[in-house]
Amino acid sequence: MTGLQTVNGTARRLASRPAYGDPFGVFGRDFDCMIGSIFGRDGLVNSADTNGNEAPQKLLTPRIDVHETDDNIELSAELPGVEQGDVDVSVLEGVLTITGEKKSTRESNDGARVVERTYGSFKRSFRLPDTVDADKIAASFKNGVLTLTLPKVAEVKPEPRKIAISG
């Protein structure tokens, strides 16, 4: 065997790698590149860099949907893997704050080949519009989704005042 392969009319030298040893070693970087190209590099967080040093933890940012009706504003936050008891919602001076923590179920990542899920604390804050009644905000948590219902203040429409005409 010459060690050359013809691909699209171009001769290329074949890399020779042993077929024994670490079964994932052959796929390591190629697999990371493939996953990175699908999800983007920001979607990957390796448990360790190439020198074996622990990688910095990525900041969690829950995704939020906001829908508005005539009577209220509904805010939904995706919190997969977060327990209801690890989430806190508060309002202070017109700012709604969602804080929490996604905890790992493993003691350590020893022996991990790929760690893509992120763990840690998160915090999202939103300035409430003046039309929201902060005292009546309600929250529910189901299937990893936090739903906040922010009722609007009943709008007081000015009515014309009848003025008596003297004469």
Side-chain angles (χ1 to χ4, degrees), residues 41-55:
R41 291 304 320 164
D42 292 338
L44 288 176
V45 176
N46 295 326
S47 60
D49 63 15
T50 55
N51 297 326
N53 299 322
E54 196 65 26

Side-chain angles (χ1 to χ4, degrees), residues 84-150:
Q84 180 177 342
D86 294 332
V87 178
D88 184 47
V89 180
S90 62
V91 176
L92 179 65
E93 298 178 4
V95 177
L96 174 73
T97 303
I98 303 169
T99 57
E101 182 177 7
K102 182 178 178 183
K103 298 177 182 174
S104 175
T105 57
R106 293 191 168 269
E107 292 291 321
S108 72
N109 283 331
D110 291 344
R113 297 298 300 174
V114 177
V115 178
E116 294 181 349
R117 298 187 298 166
T118 55
Y119 301 97
S121 299
F122 59 88
K123 181 177 183 177
R124 294 284 310 258
S125 295
F126 307 91
R127 174 143 316 271
L128 296 176
D130 294 334
T131 58
V132 170
D133 187 352
D135 294 330
K136 295 182 180 176
I137 294 175
S140 64
F141 191 87
K142 183 177 180 184
N143 296 331
V145 177
L146 173 69
T147 303
L148 301 172
T149 303
L150 299 90

